[in-house]
Amino acid sequence: MRNKLPPYWLLILMAWLASCQPGEKTSLPKSWIATAPAGSAYTQINRDSTTILPNGRLLTPRGRQITVAPHPYGLVMSPDGHTVVTANSGTSPISISIIRNVMGLQPQVQQIPPGADTDKGILASVFIGLAIAPDNKTLYVAGGQENKIFVFNLQTGQKTDSISCAAKTGNRDYSDGYIGDLVLSKDGKTLYAIDQIGFRMVIVNTQIRRLTHSVPVGRYPFGITLSPDGRQAYVANVGMYEYKFINSLDTARLAETSLPYPTSAFGSKEAKDGYQSDTADVPGLGDPNVPESFSVWTVDLQNPSQPRVTAKVKTGFLVGQLVEGIPAVGGSSPNSVVAAGKYVFVSNGNNDCISVIDAQENKVIKNVFLQLDERLGSLRGMIPFGLALSPDGKRLYVAESGINAVGVIDVATLKVMGHIPMGWFPSKLAVSKDGKKLLVANAKGFGSGPNGGPAFTMGPEGSNIGSLMKGTVSVLDIPADEALPTETQRVIANNFHFTDRNNKIFAGRKNNPIPLFSGYSSSPIKHIVFVAKENRTYDEIFGQVAGGKGEKRLARYGWGVSFASKDQSRKVENATVMPNHLALAQRFAMGDNFYCDSDHSADGHRWLVGTYPNEWLETSVSAAYGGIRRMKMGSKAPGMLAFTGSNASIYPEDYNEAGSLWEHLERNKIDFFNFGFGLKWLPATRNKPLNTPVPVP
């Protein structure tokens, strides 16, 4: 038999795994069942009307959609407002897209390098950061792991130079770096950038194209901006810990001298202070709430020869802080920052809020929560990312990556005015000079679509999802204030369908073994066995199963399959490759419209343990799979060991506010046994070479 997994069960499961939000108290009774709006419809791309995503949500992006290369996590608009550039950070091609005449009806897109493949001779690496000189002729591109800033002619697209960010100052060795977000002074003479793994802000003289200063900041700096007068720089630090090899490790004999077990539990005394035993010498990680973690630092630039840090402000909720009775597990993940007048705005990716910092007092005066609908109660998942201010400073626009929308905040009242529908995972955004248009980079565009079967024609991109996941740039008229309620309702409808739990459509669920919600009914289910397998599609295994919407021609692990080795020396004919899986599907049930909401293995493993990937992980994983975020053994960079690569483990930087599946099971006193899922870190080895902690349960 075949049963589709009920769409509302997925949303109830998400609700169970989500964390708590201390927003305004609602007067509505807690009586709503939230379901995926697509219902039982299958995923499909329809650029002209409504796209159905694999997670059952809908896309109806406003404005015109311009296609660019996969995963545009960076965007900048030229000072004259005619050109937009995106930084496309993986999987392939690693590239930039220059969109000329972006406001016109026929914009021209130049991808550098052209084609479907990365060309390291033209652009070896790029990561988020972009800046354009006041003359609209020079483009600066953050070079990620190349530890450089590349210089391009904006008019021709030709690379003209590169600026090395390598340096040694005192006892600090910046030979390795990972250059990300950029911001240029108004006169175009000074470029400021962050080095994610060097824990520094880089200052470059653009006239001589030379590094002049390296200013130490917090852990894994992610975003940077300047005050309107250019006298201060603000750096958002997204990291929690500085990881280290265990002291007893011999990196030349990594497998032999690593530990056969994790070094500590997150938040434990051993994790904080470290320890010595007869088999290991493990350095401590320290306090997760130190000023270096999850914070915004102010750098005074008034004396150009001596830039100095003058303030360190914690944003969002502290690790361990009680939020509606639950201690926060993850940090706030402050990632993007903009400044206007008396305020500095910071997006907290894990807390679904914007922290408002008083620029004079250097303290948070308010957290503006981005609650989409009060019926969602305490759920998290908005993932605020990029920020942009209107030219008059009256409106703040927030890329809400988790709900595929842009939030609008009134700066005078610090209240959310509404939300505007966008493409999949909006990342960065800009406002036109006249304040009438909004330009938004959507990192996943409309999705990848199928990568096999009769509806798929193999192109130069191949069949890898990360290469098929084209990004888009939305160019739209900014809705009038009175239109925002309607736009907000569209965003709600794209993400959730609400039904009163007493509705008669649920009457038949009283005897269902899966309760409609906690406490609705008893369940005969006593044990759940969860086995995770990856890198296989539904069609490859179940494409031949009657009743399912599968493609028989792709079922290479099904019944009566013949296959051979590449050299044809070994062959198997008319075999049933996965008989147990097929038998279970025939005897019991399976889901033919149930997907993993990820682009790669690494982020998929996070989803499997109830941790939705935030902006830190999404940008990191795409770059890693594109080959531009590699761990370098022997590096002196303090943040090098946080590179996640393709590993399956959640890092403290990834932790959602209320943690993962493991914390939720423990919190609800549900016994479980984990046979080793999510216990792998870089460098790739079966044993544990780092002091990276594991979730407490």
Side-chain angles (χ1 to χ4, degrees):
M1 62 178 290
R2 177 180 72 96
N3 284 328
K4 288 189 175 78
L5 291 178
Y8 50 80
W9 171 245
L10 176 59
L11 270 293
I12 294 167
L13 179 63
M14 291 170 61
W16 171 58
L17 293 174
S19 55
C20 295
Q21 173 174 315
E24 296 178 2
K25 297 296 182 181
T26 173
S27 58
L28 289 176
K30 295 181 179 179
S31 60
W32 300 98
I33 302 299
T35 66
S40 60
Y42 291 85
T43 181
Q44 64 174 342
I45 295 175
N46 191 330
R47 296 177 65 109
D48 297 326
S49 58
T50 301
T51 288
I52 302 175
L53 294 179
N55 53 31
R57 292 179 175 182
L58 311 178
L59 289 182
T60 57
R62 295 300 187 240
R64 293 183 293 109
Q65 312 306 313
I66 303 171
T67 300
V68 296
H71 298 114
Y73 289 118
L75 177 143
V76 68
M77 184 172 62
S78 61
D80 63 10
H82 299 317
T83 304
V84 160
V85 183
T86 63
N88 315 311
S89 302
T91 300
S92 181
I94 303 301
S95 60
I96 57 173
S97 296
I98 300 176
I99 308 173
R100 301 184 179 91
N101 187 31
V102 69
M103 302 295 182
L105 296 178
Q106 294 182 321
Q108 297 85 45
V109 181
Q110 180 185 13
Q111 181 185 296
I112 303 168
D117 298 321
T118 297
D119 187 337
K120 290 184 176 283
I122 297 176
L123 188 58
S125 179
V126 58
F127 192 76
I128 296 181
L130 299 162
I132 298 175
D135 62 4
N136 301 290
K137 296 179 180 179
T138 304
L139 168 68
Y140 300 97
V141 179
Q145 69 181 14
E146 296 299 305
N147 203 15
K148 295 177 181 178
I149 298 171
F150 297 108
V151 185
F152 284 81
N153 183 311
L154 186 62
Q155 297 173 326
T156 66
Q158 295 296 308
K159 185 171 67 175
T160 60
D161 203 354
S162 64
I163 304 168
S164 174
C165 295
K168 292 184 179 180
T169 58
N171 63 347
R172 300 177 186 271
D173 187 341
Y174 298 117
S175 299
D176 298 313
Y178 202 90
I179 307 303
D181 204 13
L182 306 176
V183 63
L184 192 63
S185 61
K186 287 183 179 179
D187 60 12
K189 296 179 180 180
T190 309
L191 188 64
Y192 303 89
I194 55 96
D195 174 3
Q196 282 198 344
I197 63 173
F199 299 174
R200 60 171 172 155
M201 182 185 80
V202 167
I203 303 179
V204 170
N205 183 318
T206 60
Q207 295 176 299
I208 61 175
R209 292 184 178 172
R210 185 177 300 168
L211 174 74
T212 60
H213 294 88
S214 294
V215 182
V217 292
R219 294 170 180 163
Y220 315 106
F222 195 91
I224 187 171
T225 195
L226 297 176
S227 60
D229 60 11
R231 294 182 179 183
Q232 283 83 32
Y234 299 99
V235 176
N237 306 300
V238 79
M240 185 183 297
Y241 290 129
E242 177 184 342
Y243 303 102
K244 292 182 171 63
F245 285 115
I246 58 176
N247 296 327
S248 49
L249 184 75
D250 180 354
T251 55
R253 297 186 304 119
L254 200 61
E256 297 91 336
T257 57
S258 298
L259 297 178
Y261 49 81
T263 58
S264 62
F266 174 71
S268 66
K269 183 179 185 301
E270 290 78 11
K272 181 179 179 180
D273 301 332
Y275 59 91
Q276 290 181 327
S277 69
D278 56 350
T279 58
D281 183 357
V282 180
L285 291 164
D287 190 329
N289 291 317
V290 293
E292 289 78 11
S293 70
F294 304 122
S295 57
V296 173
W297 287 25
T298 304
V299 182
D300 191 326
L301 306 173
Q302 295 185 70
N303 183 350
S305 63
Q306 292 184 320
R308 62 191 182 92
V309 174
T310 56
K312 305 172 184 179
V313 180
K314 302 286 289 184
T315 65
F317 300 123
L318 299 178
V319 175
Q321 181 177 343
L322 284 179
V323 183
E324 292 195 354
I326 298 176
V329 179
S332 58
S333 197
N335 58 80
S336 298
V337 57
V338 294
K342 60 184 179 180
Y343 295 141
V344 178
F345 299 99
V346 186
S347 53
N348 297 308
N350 285 348
N351 294 156
D352 284 2
C353 69
I354 306 300
S355 285
V356 184
I357 299 174
D358 185 307
Q360 295 296 319
E361 300 293 329
N362 287 310
K363 65 180 182 181
V364 175
I365 60 171
K366 185 173 183 178
N367 288 321
V368 181
F369 286 91
L370 299 167
Q371 189 181 40
L372 177 62
D373 188 296
E374 62 180 350
R375 289 172 293 185
L376 293 169
S378 59
L379 293 180
R380 285 275 191 262
M382 306 282 281
I383 317 180
F385 189 177
L387 300 172
L389 283 158
S390 60
D392 60 11
K394 293 182 179 180
R395 296 287 184 269
L396 175 69
Y397 299 96
V398 184
E400 298 168 321
S401 304
I403 60 166
N404 311 316
V406 166
V408 184
I409 295 176
D410 178 63
V411 173
T413 62
L414 299 179
K415 292 185 178 297
V416 178
M417 301 182 67
H419 309 266
I420 309 168
M422 290 297 148
W424 196 359
F425 208 90
S427 54
K428 293 288 186 175
L429 61 172
V431 185
S432 62
K433 292 179 64 178
D434 61 8
K436 295 182 179 180
K437 289 189 180 292
L438 191 62
L439 303 97
V440 183
N442 303 295
K444 304 184 184 188
F446 289 92
S448 65
N451 67 342
F456 176 71
T457 301
M458 182 83 76
E461 301 93 344
S463 60
N464 180 273
I465 294 298
S467 298
L468 294 172
M469 189 78 71
K470 303 289 188 182
T472 59
V473 173
S474 299
V475 182
L476 61 142
D477 294 327
I478 295 176
D481 291 353
E482 54 269 23
L484 285 175
T486 300
E487 295 295 310
T488 300
Q489 288 304 311
R490 180 69 263 173
V491 174
I492 294 171
N494 282 351
N495 285 275
F496 303 99
H497 176 72
F498 294 99
T499 307
D500 189 298
R501 75 180 188 184
N502 296 314
N503 191 294
K504 62 182 181 180
I505 66 172
F506 299 128
R509 289 196 53 84
K510 282 293 184 182
N511 297 320
N512 193 299
I514 301 176
L516 183 60
F517 53 86
S518 179
Y520 178 76
S521 61
S522 61
S523 173
I525 297 174
K526 302 301 180 185
H527 303 283
I528 296 174
V529 179
F530 178 39
V531 180
K533 295 192 173 185
E534 64 168 316
N535 293 331
R536 297 281 74 86
T537 68
Y538 170 88
D539 294 304
E540 286 179 303
I541 303 171
F542 301 117
Q544 300 163 313
V545 176
K549 187 177 181 180
E551 174 50 55
K552 295 181 180 180
R553 285 169 287 184
L554 297 178
R556 56 178 177 163
Y557 300 109
W559 292 293
V561 176
S562 298
F563 52 91
S565 59
K566 286 185 178 180
D567 61 4
Q568 300 296 308
S569 63
R570 291 169 295 168
K571 295 182 179 181
V572 175
E573 296 183 351
N574 196 29
T576 298
V577 182
M578 302 183 75
N580 292 332
H581 291 70
L582 294 167
L584 287 169
Q586 287 186 303
R587 294 178 191 174
F588 300 102
M590 67 175 187
D592 68 342
N593 194 16
F594 194 73
Y595 311 85
C596 184
D597 194 359
S598 62
D599 303 345
H600 313 282
S601 294
D603 46 331
H605 283 289
R606 268 72 172 188
W607 280 108
L608 287 179
V609 294
T611 300
Y612 59 82
N614 60 17
E615 78 297 325
W616 161 258
L617 186 73
E618 287 279 1
T619 56
S620 298
V621 168
S622 295
Y625 277 78
I628 59 168
R629 199 172 176 87
R630 297 190 180 278
M631 181 179 288
K632 182 177 179 181
M633 297 296 290
S635 174
K636 303 295 184 183
M640 180 67 76
L641 297 182
F643 277 6
T644 60
S646 61
N647 83 83
S649 306
I650 47 176
Y651 278 58
E653 282 71 26
D654 310 344
Y655 288 175
N656 293 161
E657 184 182 293
S660 66
L661 173 66
W662 317 123
E663 283 84 10
H664 284 279
L665 290 173
E666 183 184 54
R667 193 176 295 132
N668 289 277
K669 296 180 173 56
I670 298 173
D671 294 334
F672 67 93
F673 189 91
N674 180 4
F675 288 87
F677 188 86
L679 296 178
K680 172 190 171 187
W681 293 271
L682 292 180
T685 173
R686 290 185 178 181
N687 292 336
K688 310 299 178 286
L690 306 177
N691 62 345
T692 315
V694 296
V696 173

